[in-house]
Amino acid sequence: MPPERFPIPQGTLDMLILQILSLEPAHGYAIAQRIEQISRQVVQVGQGSLYPALHRLEQKTWLRSEWRESETGREAKFYSLTRTGRQQLAREKESWDRLTAAVRLIFDQGE
Amino acid sequence: MPPERFPIPQGTLDMLILQILSLEPAHGYAIAQRIEQISRQVVQVGQGSLYPALHRLEQKTWLRSEWRESETGREAKFYSLTRTGRQQLAREKESWDRLTAAVRLIFDQGE
DNA sequence: ATCGATGCATCGACCTTCGACATATAAGCA
DNA sequence: TGCTTATATGTCGAAGGTCGATGCATCGAT
């Protein structure tokens, strides 16, 4: 039985995309693949979520895009993290840590 | 400076409500207070989120409601967890653990 | 008499996720 | 040749949840 898949909470995808790009630039298709692969298919990234997210993030100037040749020799749009994008990632990571800590508190309370 | 508040991801609130009610029945207002207090104000629960969530959960038969007298002597609607609600809480907890583990994987990758 | 806390509820705006669909090229295979 | 799969980008509408504003009502305290 494959691992259960469930919807990823609103806002989480942006953070994961920024994180993937914090290592090196990549095109959309590769970003989605890496998220799914590293998370062992727990996080699924549909194309209907991926591309709007990328455009959203570029709109906010957290990403910059550039057409380049992909590993397969085809044209693809490579995204890279901007300076403000890196700052945003730090902010979102901190929020995430605070949230998970808070949820942990609520779960552990009463035990 | 008060701790930063940020929106709670979609779906998370339901889980927290179920968790609070897993200890003992409570009315809506108290549920919100406990979530905020235990999380040290990190998780904020507006009434525009709270009551729709409670109705949603009751609709799904994960909660049952009953008018009773509150601690202050006033009438309030007390919610209690049903058997299926308890099962649902277990499922959501597991999903949450899987998600946070997956996000952790993505964050730690490359270090 | 007014204010803050208690308590329930609805409304519209806003945003994200999701599945379906569309398009195009390249590689592999029957 | 024709079919399928993988690569690669994108849009669309439906669905769902969060949020701030607003409304109503009671109670105790100042």
Side-chain angles (χ1 to χ4, degrees):
Chain A
M1 194 172 87
E4 189 191 350
R5 33 194 316 245
F6 54 96
I8 95 177
Q10 211 160 318
T12 310
L13 178 58
D14 293 19
M15 181 177 67
L16 296 181
I17 290 174
L18 294 177
Q19 169 66 28
I20 294 294
L21 291 177
S22 72
L23 297 181
E24 55 174 351
H27 57 264
Y29 195 82
I31 294 172
Q33 278 187 326
R34 286 179 205 174
I35 290 177
E36 296 186 351
Q37 180 209 335
I38 298 171
S39 75
R40 302 187 189 190
Q41 320 306 322
V42 170
V43 180
Q44 306 272 330
V45 185
Q47 305 176 339
S49 307
L50 175 67
Y51 291 108
L54 289 172
H55 300 158
R56 198 159 63 225
L57 295 172
E58 191 176 14
Q59 198 85 24
K60 293 179 180 168
T61 74
W62 295 337
L63 302 184
R64 206 193 332 274
S65 70
E66 180 194 5
W67 286 97
R68 285 219 302 269
E69 194 174 300
S70 82
E71 318 78 40
T72 66
R74 302 168 59 179
E75 284 295 298
K77 202 191 266 186
F78 278 73
Y79 289 91
S80 49
L81 211 56
T82 62
R83 200 192 293 102
T84 56
R86 201 168 291 275
Q87 293 166 358
Q88 178 62 18
L89 173 58
R91 274 193 297 272
E92 296 199 11
K93 264 182 170 171
E94 204 202 317
S95 287
W96 176 260
D97 286 340
R98 291 166 52 76
L99 173 68
T100 52
V103 170
R104 190 52 51 200
L105 273 178
I106 294 171
F107 277 163
D108 291 349
Q109 166 255 157
E111 281 183 2
Chain B
M1 194 174 86
E4 190 190 351
R5 33 195 315 243
F6 55 96
I8 96 176
Q10 211 161 312
T12 310
L13 178 58
D14 292 21
M15 180 177 66
L16 297 182
I17 290 174
L18 294 178
Q19 169 65 29
I20 294 295
L21 291 178
S22 73
L23 297 182
E24 54 174 352
H27 57 264
Y29 195 80
I31 294 172
Q33 278 187 325
R34 285 178 205 175
I35 290 177
E36 297 186 351
Q37 179 210 335
I38 299 171
S39 74
R40 302 185 188 191
Q41 321 305 325
V42 170
V43 180
Q44 305 273 331
V45 185
Q47 304 179 339
S49 307
L50 175 67
Y51 293 108
L54 288 172
H55 300 159
R56 199 159 60 227
L57 294 171
E58 191 175 15
Q59 198 85 27
K60 292 178 179 171
T61 73
W62 295 336
L63 302 185
R64 207 192 331 272
S65 71
E66 179 194 5
W67 285 96
R68 284 220 301 268
E69 195 174 301
S70 82
E71 318 77 40
T72 66
R74 302 169 57 180
E75 283 296 297
K77 203 192 264 182
F78 277 74
Y79 290 92
S80 49
L81 210 57
T82 62
R83 200 194 290 101
T84 56
R86 202 167 290 277
Q87 293 166 359
Q88 178 62 18
L89 173 57
R91 275 193 296 272
E92 295 198 12
K93 264 182 169 172
E94 204 201 319
S95 287
W96 176 261
D97 286 340
R98 291 167 52 77
L99 173 67
T100 53
V103 170
R104 190 56 47 202
L105 274 178
I106 294 171
F107 277 162
D108 292 349
Q109 166 254 159
E111 281 183 5

